Amino acid sequence: SDISIKHFPQTDCPKQNSHQHIKTNCSFSIQQSNDIRKMNRFTFFCLALYLSNTAGFSAVKKAHTHSLDKFVIGTAALAKKDNPELFLDAAYERGFNTFDLARTYGGGESERIFGRWLAKHGGKGSEARQNLYIITKGGMGEDKYGDPNRRRMTLESLKKEVHESLKSLDIEIIDMYMLHRDDPRIDVGTIVDWMNILIEEGHIKAWGVSNWPLDRTMEAIEYAEENEMVPPTSNSPQFSLAVPEVPVWPTTVSLSGPEELSTIEWYKQNNIDLYCWEVLAKGFMAKPDLWCEESVDREALNRPVVIGSDDWRLQRIQKAYCTEDNYLRRSLATELAENHGLTLAQISTLYALGISDNVKVVLGAGRAEHLDELLQLQHLELCNVAMNRLTLADETAGPREPVLITSGQFFD
């Protein structure tokens, strides 16, 4: 039977402003509380499960809730790790088999590191290669940040990038190749034609898009079906508990927030997987005290900065995520995490997984212990009340209603 985790009784838990981080000193209704301090994290987690019931703002334990292929190991910062191949070993040994790469990550270094690591495990044709699902992205050329005025992609430039990725990864075929950004200057039908050429030539097994708006994705599927071609089967948008107020990065697309639930449902009904990036909102939804409201210099968010600089990155991140509603969402998620013996990052990940069955989370785990924390989530999910309160940034909301869409909802 399902076992849920509920709030433990609390005493003397003064709260700060509801939009600030809630730092609670919870008193648990368990005898010999001194023994709890001696328990390791896993023991406390199991005890929390045992003592809970199914009511309220909770997480629920269920068998076989999330398969490991829903946890995608991101590699954007792989080249910055002290021992990236050791980290890849740790992920593979724990059963993680889906890896998200891109030609732009580390100027191509992430792909090269991954290729060297795979070669040590037998390379092409090895058991390791057969067990892996390799995603990589391209189509941006030399552009690093999503410049809408970058040099326009051509079939020749796209093929060149694909061949460079194959060489760096040292593999014969890419399992899923995504276009890292949309380029509305190029007709959708032309792009579908090009991607099918890559499939026919044996370079990629399947293709998808990243940061594409819904209307262009729909158009691509319709064109492919009308011409008996292979349609895109995935999209990679930003999605997190923290709803970005503005695009986090240039020419990116977000599906975060209650107004996007019907769009996510459309993707589900059309068998499009969503590989969601920045699920932890660059740490905002992983560290309860990161960028507290009083520490954010609002005036600095609009000052001129150099594109690509650390100031530019911080400015874009804070402008997107450091909003009143997001601080409330973080407070609610932090409280939920503390009362369940989980971390804020775990609650944030469960939230993303709970949005829809077609959602996969792309996470750039920093250390091996972070991988272990992900493994704990396979048999957990947030209840409807928790999902709805977090979605709406409303600490009094009830259960989430089913999302219904009509056939003409997305068309004029």
Side-chain angles (χ1 to χ4, degrees):
S1 61
D2 294 344
I3 305 174
S4 72
I5 310 173
K6 69 178 182 66
H7 284 305
F8 289 107
Q10 299 181 15
T11 59
D12 301 325
C13 296
K15 294 185 179 181
Q16 303 172 15
N17 182 290
S18 63
H19 302 314
Q20 295 179 351
H21 166 53
I22 301 175
K23 200 74 174 178
T24 58
N25 295 312
C26 300
S27 174
F28 301 106
S29 57
I30 305 173
Q31 291 183 343
Q32 298 177 337
S33 60
N34 287 338
D35 292 340
I36 296 178
R37 299 188 185 94
K38 301 176 183 178
M39 295 178 183
N40 62 32
R41 184 181 184 84
F42 180 73
T43 305
F44 175 79
F45 175 71
C46 293
L47 182 59
L49 286 172
Y50 175 74
L51 293 172
S52 60
N53 61 35
T54 59
F57 185 51
S58 63
V60 180
K61 186 177 182 182
K62 290 186 176 180
H64 311 300
T65 299
H66 308 298
S67 59
L68 272 184
D69 64 357
K70 288 193 173 184
F71 300 88
V72 181
I73 305 301
T75 63
L78 188 63
K80 297 179 181 179
K81 294 184 183 298
D82 292 335
N83 195 330
E85 293 183 29
L86 186 63
F87 171 78
L88 293 173
D89 279 336
Y92 182 68
E93 289 165 2
R94 285 163 173 78
F96 296 101
N97 62 1
T98 306
F99 293 84
D100 176 78
L101 299 114
R103 193 72 204 138
T104 59
Y105 292 165
E109 187 60 20
S110 288
E111 288 184 335
R112 289 188 286 272
I113 291 171
F114 193 90
R116 291 195 296 269
W117 171 80
L118 181 58
K120 291 180 180 179
H121 289 268
K124 304 172 185 177
S126 66
E127 181 180 354
R129 173 63 186 103
Q130 293 173 7
N131 291 335
L132 295 175
Y133 190 77
I134 298 176
I135 302 166
T136 197
K137 302 181 290 293
M140 291 175 61
E142 299 300 319
D143 177 28
K144 298 179 181 179
Y145 308 115
D147 182 357
N149 299 312
R150 63 182 174 273
R151 179 175 295 182
R152 191 174 306 191
M153 179 178 66
T154 65
L155 177 58
E156 290 70 27
S157 68
L158 179 60
K159 282 187 174 183
K160 181 181 178 182
E161 286 193 55
V162 170
H163 285 298
E164 288 174 346
S165 290
L166 287 168
K167 181 179 178 181
S168 296
L169 294 167
D170 195 18
I171 57 177
E172 294 176 343
I173 191 168
I174 296 165
D175 297 309
M176 170 63 69
Y177 191 83
M178 294 184 183
L179 296 172
H180 210 159
R181 291 288 201 281
D182 187 17
D183 190 340
R185 299 171 299 180
I186 305 175
D187 179 73
V188 166
T190 299
I191 293 175
V192 175
D193 291 340
W194 292 349
M195 301 308 291
N196 275 261
I197 289 172
L198 295 177
I199 292 175
E200 291 167 4
E201 293 182 351
H203 304 308
I204 65 176
K205 291 182 180 179
W207 73 283
V209 295
S210 177
N211 298 297
W212 272 41
L214 180 60
D215 59 342
R216 294 266 289 180
T217 307
M218 285 179 162
E219 189 178 346
I221 293 171
E222 182 179 3
Y223 178 89
E225 290 176 347
E226 288 177 351
N227 293 277
E228 298 183 346
M229 292 182 170
V230 179
T233 56
S234 64
N235 196 354
S236 184
Q238 187 281 339
F239 181 87
S240 65
L241 175 55
V243 180
E245 191 169 60
V246 296
V248 188
W249 310 111
T251 61
T252 57
V253 170
S254 173
L255 293 183
S256 303
E259 67 280 357
E260 297 294 346
L261 291 177
S262 57
T263 300
I264 293 172
E265 180 63 19
W266 184 90
Y267 280 113
K268 177 183 176 181
Q269 291 186 12
N270 287 273
N271 300 312
I272 304 294
D273 288 327
L274 297 175
Y275 290 85
C276 299
W277 51 270
E278 282 193 12
V279 168
L280 303 182
K282 283 298 184 188
F284 182 87
M285 282 298 175
K287 301 177 182 178
D289 56 354
L290 182 64
W291 305 317
C292 292
E293 283 186 279
E294 60 272 15
S295 71
V296 177
D297 184 353
R298 298 288 170 181
E299 293 184 2
L301 298 184
N302 295 306
R303 291 174 186 161
V305 290
V306 177
I307 294 177
S309 66
D310 288 344
D311 287 341
W312 177 78
R313 294 177 185 277
L314 180 62
Q315 185 184 80
R316 294 198 69 100
I317 292 167
Q318 290 187 338
K319 188 182 291 188
Y321 294 127
C322 295
T323 68
E324 184 177 14
D325 281 349
N326 286 337
Y327 281 110
L328 176 55
R329 290 184 177 98
R330 186 166 74 174
S331 293
L332 291 169
T334 299
E335 185 179 11
L336 189 61
E338 289 178 346
N339 289 328
H340 291 47
L342 299 172
T343 67
L344 174 59
Q346 287 177 308
I347 293 295
S348 300
T349 304
L350 283 175
Y351 174 79
L353 292 169
I355 282 294
S356 182
D357 293 340
N358 61 326
V359 165
K360 301 174 187 287
V361 293
V362 180
L363 295 163
R367 299 186 298 274
E369 52 264 38
H370 294 157
L371 298 171
D372 293 329
E373 290 180 357
L374 292 179
L375 290 176
Q376 292 181 6
L377 305 183
Q378 290 181 87
H379 310 299
L380 284 174
E381 64 181 26
L382 299 183
C383 72
N384 274 339
V385 171
M387 290 296 297
N388 208 31
R389 289 184 184 179
L390 293 171
T391 298
L392 301 177
D394 182 352
E395 49 199 333
T396 65
R400 184 172 61 156
E401 296 295 329
V403 178
L404 302 176
I405 64 174
T406 62
S407 59
Q409 181 170 346
F410 298 101
F411 301 94
D412 294 334

